Amino acid sequence: MIVMKFGGTSVEDASRIAAVCRIVLSQKARQPVVVVSALAGVTDLLVRGIAAARRGAREALEPILADLERRHRWALASVETSRSRHDLS
């Protein structure tokens, strides 16, 4: 078994996510356990969102939540439409 952790710039766009898939696939025989943390920039958005929530600044939260959703939908759509899509099962 091997534990592999990816996050930040290693999962910032479809090409990097595809590269992560290739790395994981190259270690398939070792039965990888894969941990994926936040996409690039997401941790900063979460920190800003927490600060806004603590201040009770609901109007400041809306664009942060929208940006979080947009980033994740974009990453998912990019991977789904990429020629580098991989089946990790």
Side-chain angles (χ1 to χ4, degrees), residues 1-4 6 19-34 86-89:
M1 177 177 65
I2 184 172
V3 177
M4 306 173 84
F6 303 94
V20 166
C21 291
R22 288 189 297 275
I23 292 167
V24 171
L25 286 170
S26 75
Q27 298 299 313
K28 194 171 180 179
R30 295 177 68 186
Q31 299 178 315
V33 173
V34 181
H86 294 284
D87 177 7
L88 296 178
S89 58

Side-chain angles (χ1 to χ4, degrees), residues 77-89:
S78 297
V79 172
E80 286 179 348
T81 59
S82 171
R83 290 180 185 254
S84 300
R85 186 175 177 190
H86 294 284
D87 177 7
L88 296 178
S89 58

